[in-house]
Each structure stands twice: as structure tokens, then as C-alpha cells.
Amino acid sequence: MTASPDDINPRHQLSPLACDSASLRQSIRDALVREVGKDPDLATPRDWLHAVSFAIRERIIERRVVTRRQFAEEDVKRVYYLSMEYLIGRMLEANLRNMGIFEATQQALQDLGVDFRTIARLEEDAALGNGGLGRLAACILESMATQGYPGYGYGIRYEFGMFQQHIEHFRQVEHPDNWLRFGNPWEFPRPEKVFPVRFYGYVIEHHESNGENCYTWEDGEQVLAMAYDYPTAGYERRNVNNLRLWAAKATRNFDLRYFNEGDYIRAVADKSESETISMVLYPNDATAIGRELRLKQEYFFVSASLQDIFDRNLQLGYALEDLPNKAAIQLNDTHPAIAVAEFMRLLVDEHHVPWHKAWDITRRVFAYTNHTLMPEALETWPVALMERVLPRHMLIIYRINHEFLEEVRHRFPGDHDLLGRLSIIDEGHGRRVRMAHLAVVGSHKVNGVAALHTSLLKQTLFADFYRIWPERFINVTNGVTPRLWMIQANPGLTALIESRIGSDWKFDLDRLKQFTPYASDEATRADFRAIKRSNKERLAGLVKNRTGVVISPEVMYDVQIKRIHEYKRQLLKLLHVIELYQRIRDGEEVLPRVVLFAGKAAPGYQRAKDIIQLINEVADIVNNDPAVGDRLKCVFFPNYEVSSAAIIIPAADLSQQISTAGFEASGTGNMKLALNGALTIGTLDGANIEIRDAVGSENIFIFGMTAAEVNEYRGQRHPPSAHLDSHPRLRGIVDALRTGFFANGGRALHAQMASYLLEEDPFFVLADYAAYSEACTRADSLYGHAEAWSEAALLNVARMSYFSIDRTVREYAENIWEVTPEAVQAPCPKDPNEC
Ligand code: F58
């Protein structure tokens, strides 16, 4: 019972809005009056921002309607991407560019006397994520739309996204991210799309005549999940996919009990309590959050998404047995892993599918992406908590586990340790549910996000699972979208490439390889340097604005931009800043540079916050020392987010990717920076290894212990202080910290950080320092040869095509989802009547 073209009521045929600048101008002016409710004479820049967004959203949603109809007509298999996080950034420019109407809209605004850049800056970033995992989800959605895959994103519409970072007295202070306070023109609220989500309560077992018991989940409390849709446009394609984010609303009868008792205030207070579920994103980047509210958030969005998926499939007339041919569900890490149990509950309890059939369907539908090996980031929930919050799911997990362990027992009789290691329930730590095990057992494919990461997964975290199901584990190396991270962020470099090899590469990044010969062309190199320089001027303006620090566009820009974490080793870079400072003070020549750090620390992660303070205190001394001048500036750029990344990255010369080997699953900042012509200085960690293979080892500065060496070294238990003489200056550098040379807020913190390095150093900063400093010297000496540096930088650009998110998504589509792109329609014509 699927829709065919003939089914579409002729009265419902769309007459597309035109996209020439005159029509856009009219739409913008109309939206200003009709949607924003302002007289153009009185409109503020934000009013114009909203007006233009409304004018564009009309055009996006039209294409969404067409896309949805086409998918329904063609009976396509759909991909559902379940992610707790989407780090989207600003939407206006991305939508305009992907819709192919960026220039026309700029023109329309100019005709209205409005400057595009001025209003675009006012848009709040949609920062519904912490870091790489959330940004990857946003890149994947954009790529699915661009390539014509029928992809649906599901997540949470957090009222407050990632906190805003301020620096006060050198230290990070968090402010709430009230990103919706001016309204959000990009979302379509769907008050009719609501699903009930239950928590707590109890389970009743019913005995059936066929021997299978059936269960009902009763009582407890219910919250409604209401849909908000964010259409996601493909690049210069007509495809528009949908990101559906859920907000919690109190159920309509929430208040009956108290209202009947006349307790109005209590009733309303309860209402807001249930709405806290979607209130705020947990700002944690590498540790699992063991809070009840977090578990409720996870189940809340999973349950609503799966109910929605079931509804869609049933409405389209698909049989539940056929789900694996109609739906692929990707779990972005374990945060949505409870979906495995919820899917079983919906099949077995709600739709009365027999257990074993249901289990077969479930496994064929789900796949799971792992993003970390770090034990503290692996989610486990106390059995007691799960039993209380999700009693039915706990029973389902018990049965899944029982049957799984039976299978293992059968294959490996007598190996009790193996059973304990594989069990979904960890019996050793006060009984906890291991969500990663649930995800592996419930999926047909499990992937790591870079080659090294996947092979470590197979050797360590999932070694036992790999032994029993080797075919289940595959690698899908991450990628980044060139639309945002090149075309939008770096129009100068985009134009340069276009002038040399045309524009096919924008649709197929593989063709960027054709740019390779231009790396040895002097004119191209000179143009590249001019572009870098102007990108640096743009960044220098922003740095001055945000920090007051004046940086010269003449010098090397050396950047480390990512979440602040011990394993990412911002401290290693900071020690090098101190080395450079001391060398300048000692009268040595050093290559002039700006070192720029940016990144947020989890609010409860004291050491990460201490590192931020240390950076700021060192920066304060260095930047104000007249003996140093422009030879060294150290900047901590506050409130790093997608929109600032898009300005920092194109201006960077040197990209710091210096995590302790074996800890960074992949990294994606490394890809964005190399694509923009920054050279990487990095360890053999995550995707750095594949980047080296792609760009050539002569065009990257690799240093330090490998993952295997780190492992071996850890076993040897060397005292970190043994490395103080491995580099002529290391002792003096650590001494400067120890004695509080840079201290401003108090020496204690500096001394404490010195003892941390000397006594603990869990991420081997001191052990890798000599190698790091030497690699920096190599980088500096190449930078001194402008032609050679530019050649290497251009080779990086030309050879980064593998790291396009489009390649990543194709691999997911072919090796996991088994979906094909919908014959992507011809690129959007520029004909005003056929937008
Ligand atoms: C990141 N993980 C990895 N987690 O650290 C990075 O190497 C990788 O490139 C990226 O995923 C994409 O695969 C990450 O960002 C989180 O932010 C989680 C948020 C929720 C709590 C646990 C960490």
C-alpha cells in the first residue's frame, strides 16, 4: 500500500518557489513582515536574519516534501541514525550553499541594504554535542542528503546545548547555552507527532496457551516526546533529508490527580519536572555519565525514535518481518544502545512477534559504531537502576544475555572465564549492564572509526567477541564534509582549486587528486600563501575581538583545537611554548609563531580546567613580555565551537595532533586542518596513521611512541622524572612550572602540575617530549623554506580526498546498511522557475 505518483492528489502538486535574487528579495521582505512581524524600516539585523531564514526554509521544506514523496513511491530502504549528539553549528550559510542559492541570496540582501556577513554572525551555533562524535553525526547527515541516501537523523532537542565557555581570572567558567531564546526559524515543530515514553512502573507476566509468556509494562510515569524537524539539504542536489529531534512534554493527563485534589501548583511543578528530560546536554567528552537523568534521556529519545520508525513502516504497509529490508538503524556509540531492548519490546510485547523471530529481525536491523577504547568512557548502568527505571528492558536484557551465553557455552564448553568476560551483565562491579556488550550482541556489524582503532578494538576491548564473530567487526574510517570544511570555510582556497582543476571535485572529492601537480607550480604556491595570509588576517581580527591579543598575520599559526583532555596532551604543547619562550629569553633565534589553543573542558574535570588556567597564565607572561614581541604569542581562544573552527582552520599552518598513541580513536580535526593546507605534527594515533599514508611521510611530522611502544613502556614503570635529561631544556621547562615562574593566580597550581608530570604523567608527556621538540624543529625548519612548505601543504590538500565523509558514508551504505543512493536528481538548475 505504498504511494505512487498517481496517488498524489493533483491539488497537492507543488509549484516551487523561484530562487532568483529578485524572488528571494521579495520573499525576504514578505517574511520580515509576515513571519517576523516587523516593518522593514524598523527591522534590526536579527530581524533580517530571521526573515532570510524563513524565506529559505520555505524552499527547503518544499524539497523535503518532494524527497519524502519520492522515497515513499520508490519503496526505498531507509537509514536511521540514532545519536545523542549533533554538533551542527550555524545553519543559514550551510543551507544556502547546499541549496545552491548562496550568491542569489547575498544579492537579494544587498538589494535590501542588508550585509549578509553582519546578520549571519548573529545566528547561534546549534551546539547539541560535545565534540568529534557529535560533529561526525552532523557530517554524516549532510553527506547522506548530498549523496541521495534516504537517511533520517534522530536525537534530542536540548533546550540548552553545549555550555558557553568564558575565561575569568584565567579559568574556564561555564554559562548556559540558551540557543533557542530568539526562536529558531529552522525547526518545524510537529505537535501532532507525539509518542508516550514510560519510565518506572512494573511488569506483569501473562501465561499464554502457546507456551510463550507475554509481558505488559504497567504504571510508572509517562512523558510525551514531541518531534521537531530540521530539514537537511544535500549539496546542490534536490534531496532534503530530515533530522528529527525530540523534546519532552508532560503528558496531557499528567495533572489530573493533583488537579482533582485541587493542588494546581503541584500539578504544574510536576509538569516541568518531566520536561527536564530534554533540558540540557551533558557536557562530558570522555567519561560515561552514570546519572539517572542521563539514562532517561537515552531511553526517551530511543523509544520515541523507534515508535516513529515502526509507525512509518506500518503506514507504508511493510510487514514487520520485512524490517531488515526496509530499515537500517545505526547506533552512534552506546548512548542509544538501549534501542536493542526497546526494539525487542516493541516487536514482542506490542506487536506480538515471537521472541526468536524478533531477535533475528533486531540483529539484522542494528549496527553499532564505537568511538572510544577508554575504559572510563564505556557506559555501564547499575542493574538496580535499570530495573527501577526500565523494568521490562531489564528482563529483556536478561533473556538476550541468557541465550547469548548459552550459545557461547555450547561453542566453548567449560570456559567460565570467557562467559564472565562476554556477559552483558558485569557481575564484578556491583552488577552492571555493559551497554557496549548489548550493542555488539544486538548488531550485525560493529565498526571502529579508524584503522588503528578498529584493530585495537579487535585486540583488546572486543577481543572475545572478535573471536566468536570475526565477520561482525569492520573499520569505517571517519571523514569530514568538504562542503563546510572547505567550500564554506575557505572560499579562497576553493577558488584557487577551481581555477586550476574546475569544480567536479566539489561533488567527488576523489578528483581533488588532479590538483597534485599544482603543488610544484610556483604561481599556485604563491596564490596559496596569499590565501593563507588573508585567512590569517580574518582570524587575527577575531582573536583581537575575543581576547584583546594582537597577533601578526606574518608568522606561523600553530594550532591545537579540540576538547581539553589529558590524553590529547595540551600540556605537551604548552611545555613547548615554555621552551620557545626560554630560548627567546636566552637570545636564541626562533621561528616566529602564534600558538593558538581552543577547546572546552568538561565542567567537572578539574585537571582539564587547570590546564586551561595554566595555558592562560603562561600566555599572559609571554604575550606581555616586551623582549618577546611578535616572535611568540600564545592565545587561548575561548568558546571553541563549529563556527569558530571554520575560521581558525583555514588560517592554520601547523596542526597539533599529539595524543598519546592508542587513545584517540580517530580524530577529525586532523582531517579538516590537513584539507585546508595545514601540516600535521602528530603521533601515530587514530587517523593520523592513514593521513600519513595518504599525504606521504615527507609531508607530515610524525614523532613519539607508537601504541605498541606505549603499552610496552607502561609495563616497564619508569619514573617520569627519568626523562628530565632526555632533552637539554626539559628540566628547565618543568622547573619554571615547579617554581611558579608563570604563576599569576597562585603558585600552587603550577607546582602541582609539575609534580603531576614528574610523578604520575599517565599520558607520557615527559617520555615523548624530546621527540616532540625535535619534530617541532623539523617543522620550523621546513616553514623557513616557504616554497617547500607550500608544496607540502598543497600536497596535503590534494591528497586528502580519502577523508571525505562521502567515502565514509558510502562504506557504511555498502558494508553495513545495504542501501543504495536514490538516483540522485540532476543538480539543482539555476533557472529561476525551476529551483
Ligand atoms: C570522538 N569521541 C573520539 N565522544 O574521541 C574521536 O577520536 C573521534 O574522531 C570522534 O569521536 C568521531 O568518531 C567523542 O567525541 C564524546 O564526545 C562522548 C560524548 C558522551 C560521553 C562520552 C564521550
Side-chain angles (χ1 to χ4, degrees):
M1 208 197 43
T2 57
S4 82
D6 307 331
D7 293 337
I8 291 171
N9 184 332
R11 282 176 302 170
H12 296 168
Q13 294 292 348
L14 297 172
S15 51
L17 290 165
C19 289
D20 59 299
S21 66
S23 311
L24 284 161
R25 187 187 343 135
Q26 189 61 46
S27 291
I28 296 168
R29 205 171 14 213
D30 287 352
L32 185 70
V33 176
R34 295 180 191 151
E35 303 283 347
V36 185
K38 274 289 178 83
D39 181 335
D41 291 340
L42 301 176
T44 64
R46 178 163 286 107
D47 294 329
W48 284 111
L49 169 68
H50 282 196
V52 67
S53 306
F54 278 116
I56 305 312
R57 100 183 198 141
E58 291 183 341
R59 288 159 171 83
I60 297 193
I61 200 66
E62 266 178 8
R63 294 194 200 175
R64 171 66 203 145
V65 168
V66 173
T67 306
R68 195 207 61 78
R69 279 183 185 174
Q70 191 184 321
F71 290 168
E73 282 158 23
E74 295 179 7
D75 250 357
V76 297
K77 179 172 181 181
R78 294 165 174 79
V79 177
Y80 299 103
Y81 197 77
L82 265 53
S83 177
M84 285 284 276
E85 306 197 0
Y86 291 92
L87 203 41
I88 299 170
R90 293 181 180 143
M91 300 189 197
L92 174 61
E93 186 169 347
N95 280 335
L96 288 175
R97 287 185 181 272
N98 278 18
M99 295 278 289
I101 52 176
F102 181 59
E103 284 82 12
T105 308
Q106 269 189 320
Q107 184 61 54
L109 284 167
Q110 199 181 319
D111 295 347
L112 290 161
V114 178
D115 175 51
F116 174 76
R117 291 279 154 220
T118 308
I119 63 166
R121 269 200 295 271
L122 296 175
E123 187 181 346
E124 300 278 332
D125 272 45
L128 309 181
N130 272 285
L133 173 151
R135 182 56 231 176
L136 185 78
C139 281
I140 285 179
L141 285 195
E142 190 269 352
S143 174
M144 287 199 287
T146 292
Q147 298 191 84
Y149 290 106
Y152 295 70
Y154 279 110
I156 298 177
R157 178 182 176 273
Y158 300 106
E159 200 98 2
F160 294 89
M162 188 61 194
F163 67 82
Q164 305 253 333
Q165 179 193 56
H166 293 204
I167 301 298
E168 291 172 21
H169 304 298
F170 306 110
R171 235 178 138 72
Q172 167 177 303
V173 176
E174 302 86 27
H175 290 240
D177 169 51
N178 195 357
W179 71 297
L180 294 168
R181 70 188 176 288
F182 296 111
N184 186 344
W186 299 112
E187 68 182 14
F188 289 84
R190 308 285 189 205
E192 79 290 358
K193 264 279 169 241
V194 287
F195 292 100
V197 178
R198 189 188 300 273
F199 300 99
Y200 312 110
Y202 52 87
V203 178
I204 299 181
E205 188 176 351
H206 309 266
H207 300 283
E208 303 271 295
S209 50
N210 64 4
E212 284 251 3
N213 291 344
C214 87
Y215 297 82
T216 51
W217 181 14
E218 316 263 347
D219 215 1
E221 61 183 53
Q222 282 201 1
V223 173
L224 292 181
M226 174 181 148
Y228 286 78
D229 287 345
Y230 293 74
T232 308
Y235 180 67
E236 300 248 337
R237 296 280 180 265
R238 294 192 187 186
N239 292 58
V240 172
N241 286 351
N242 194 34
L243 167 61
R244 177 160 283 181
L245 301 180
W246 301 103
K249 309 275 167 186
T251 50
R252 280 178 219 105
N253 58 359
F254 76 95
D255 39 21
L256 280 183
R257 193 164 28 119
Y258 296 121
F259 270 130
N260 293 343
E261 290 164 14
D263 193 346
Y264 168 77
I265 296 294
R266 176 82 186 268
V268 177
D270 266 21
K271 173 177 153 72
S272 46
E273 162 104 26
S274 49
E275 293 180 357
T276 56
I277 290 184
S278 56
M279 194 61 73
V280 57
L281 166 80
Y282 277 99
N284 252 30
D285 67 326
T287 37
I289 309 117
R291 306 288 286 270
E292 184 165 328
L293 180 61
R294 169 75 177 194
L295 177 63
K296 289 174 80 172
Q297 287 187 331
E298 295 183 354
Y299 178 63
F300 164 77
F301 103 92
V302 159
S303 175
S305 308
L306 296 189
Q307 291 183 64
D308 195 30
I309 294 169
F310 270 66
D311 261 21
R312 180 174 304 110
N313 281 273
L314 294 172
Q315 264 165 31
L316 288 165
Y318 302 150
L320 291 175
E321 292 74 40
D322 207 26
L323 269 172
N325 302 319
K326 295 296 172 202
I329 304 182
Q330 190 69 33
L331 303 173
N332 195 24
D333 216 292
T334 57
H335 321 138
I338 192 65
V340 170
E342 173 69 355
F343 202 77
M344 285 297 286
R345 187 186 72 81
L346 292 171
L347 285 173
V348 173
D349 296 0
E350 307 278 330
H351 295 279
H352 311 291
V353 177
W355 177 274
H356 287 108
K357 186 167 218 87
W359 184 235
D360 174 63
I361 297 171
T362 302
R363 282 217 211 189
R364 285 159 61 210
V365 164
F366 281 96
Y368 153 54
T369 306
N370 172 286
H371 296 267
T372 187
L373 290 155
M374 303 217 320
E376 63 269 34
L378 297 175
E379 276 192 310
T380 62
W381 292 104
V383 167
L385 175 68
M386 191 85 102
E387 260 166 359
R388 190 161 54 79
V389 180
L390 301 171
R392 176 61 184 130
H393 297 79
M394 200 58 242
L395 292 178
I396 291 172
I397 291 170
Y398 280 137
R399 177 154 178 199
I400 292 172
N401 197 36
H402 174 77
E403 295 188 357
F404 162 55
L405 292 181
E406 278 303 300
E407 190 186 318
V408 177
R409 217 189 308 270
H410 190 75
R411 278 182 61 184
F412 304 94
D415 195 342
H416 291 294
D417 287 352
L418 179 66
L419 294 178
R421 292 199 305 271
L422 284 171
S423 174
I424 299 173
I425 312 292
D426 179 357
E427 305 283 352
H429 302 84
R431 298 200 82 216
R432 301 178 76 94
V433 183
R434 294 161 162 157
M435 299 309 275
H437 290 213
L438 178 62
V440 173
V441 173
S443 296
H444 64 288
K445 283 284 184 291
V446 176
N447 75 285
V449 289
L452 172 71
H453 171 58
T454 302
S455 87
L456 292 174
L457 275 181
K458 292 176 182 173
Q459 288 163 30
T460 60
L461 187 59
F462 296 142
D464 295 313
F465 284 109
Y466 181 59
R467 191 169 144 212
I468 58 176
W469 293 319
E471 67 298 335
R472 198 170 290 196
F473 292 84
I474 63 169
N475 177 56
V476 186
T477 298
N478 284 341
V480 299
T481 172
R483 272 72 66 180
L484 173 57
W485 299 113
M486 170 66 98
I487 300 171
Q488 179 175 328
N490 203 340
L493 185 52
T494 302
L496 174 65
I497 299 168
E498 223 167 354
S499 73
R500 301 301 195 267
I501 63 166
S503 54
D504 287 355
W505 60 274
K506 292 180 169 180
F507 302 93
D508 175 3
L509 207 65
D510 257 353
R511 306 200 179 186
L512 201 51
K513 289 183 185 133
Q514 295 164 3
F515 192 52
T516 314
Y518 293 96
S520 34
D521 172 42
E522 261 184 47
T524 307
R525 296 198 295 231
D527 287 350
F528 171 74
R529 286 193 294 273
I531 291 160
K532 215 21 123 191
R533 154 111 202 184
S534 105
N535 292 341
K536 287 181 183 179
E537 284 167 5
R538 180 172 67 158
L539 174 58
L542 191 64
V543 166
K544 168 96 197 328
N545 230 305
R546 290 238 184 143
T547 66
V549 179
V550 176
I551 56 174
S552 159
E554 304 276 345
V555 305
M556 174 198 251
Y557 279 20
D558 175 348
V559 311
Q560 188 170 18
I561 47 175
K562 50 185 77 249
R563 288 300 287 261
I564 311 294
H565 203 289
E566 289 161 86
Y567 85 79
K568 293 179 190 276
R569 299 202 292 193
Q570 279 89 0
L571 271 181
L572 181 56
K573 180 72 233 174
L574 189 66
L575 294 188
H576 183 241
V577 170
I578 297 176
E579 177 187 334
L580 292 173
Y581 177 69
Q582 293 182 339
R583 282 170 43 195
I584 293 171
R585 296 287 312 222
D586 291 352
E588 275 186 40
E589 282 286 314
V590 302
L591 182 83
R593 71 192 330 124
V594 169
V595 175
L596 183 145
F597 295 92
K600 293 175 182 175
Y605 187 0
Q606 284 314 318
R607 179 145 285 130
K609 293 174 114 174
D610 292 346
I611 292 171
I612 293 179
Q613 180 172 342
L614 218 60
I615 293 172
N616 279 310
E617 292 191 9
V618 169
D620 193 50
I621 299 285
V622 168
N623 297 345
N624 294 305
D625 187 335
V628 174
D630 274 346
R631 282 180 291 173
L632 181 62
K633 286 276 181 272
C634 179
V635 174
F636 186 88
F637 185 98
N639 202 39
Y640 182 57
E641 53 188 352
V642 172
S643 55
S644 34
I647 296 185
I648 299 169
I649 289 168
D653 295 305
L654 191 59
S655 156
Q656 299 288 333
Q657 307 301 335
I658 59 180
S659 51
T660 313
F663 283 88
E664 191 68 88
S666 163
T668 46
N670 47 4
M671 300 169 188
K672 295 161 199 167
L673 282 153
L675 179 63
N676 280 275
L679 267 61
T680 305
I681 177 163
T683 45
L684 287 174
D685 199 14
N688 293 354
I689 299 175
E690 289 154 87
I691 293 177
R692 177 203 58 186
D693 296 345
V695 304
S697 50
E698 62 292 3
N699 300 308
I700 186 169
F701 307 101
I702 296 292
F703 74 96
M705 287 187 275
T706 62
E709 285 163 357
V710 164
N711 242 335
E712 198 185 304
Y713 183 83
R714 191 183 285 116
Q716 295 166 356
R717 301 183 166 278
H718 296 282
S721 55
H723 296 284
L724 284 178
D725 295 316
S726 64
H727 180 277
R729 284 191 173 268
L730 186 53
R731 193 178 286 277
I733 296 166
V734 178
D735 248 13
L737 276 186
R738 197 177 50 77
T739 57
F741 179 88
F742 296 98
N744 193 316
R747 285 163 188 242
L749 174 70
H750 293 242
Q752 192 191 315
M753 204 62 94
S755 353
Y756 161 77
L757 286 175
L758 292 169
E759 289 155 29
E760 303 169 48
D761 199 13
F763 295 97
F764 311 109
V765 170
L766 297 188
D768 263 349
Y769 189 78
Y772 177 59
S773 177
E774 184 271 330
C776 290
T777 308
R778 270 189 281 147
D780 291 7
S781 76
L782 187 65
Y783 194 82
H785 298 91
E787 293 296 337
W789 180 276
S790 311
E791 178 171 15
L794 287 170
L795 285 173
N796 267 264
V797 176
R799 293 175 175 171
M800 284 302 288
S801 52
Y802 179 75
F803 301 95
S804 164
I805 191 69
D806 298 339
R807 187 267 316 148
T808 308
V809 165
R810 279 196 300 274
E811 288 183 10
Y812 277 102
E814 285 162 20
N815 304 331
I816 302 178
W817 304 331
E818 300 186 352
V819 295
T820 41
E822 263 303 275
V824 177
Q825 314 230 6
C828 177
K830 293 288 173 357
D831 177 346
N833 297 316
E834 242 238 284
C835 173

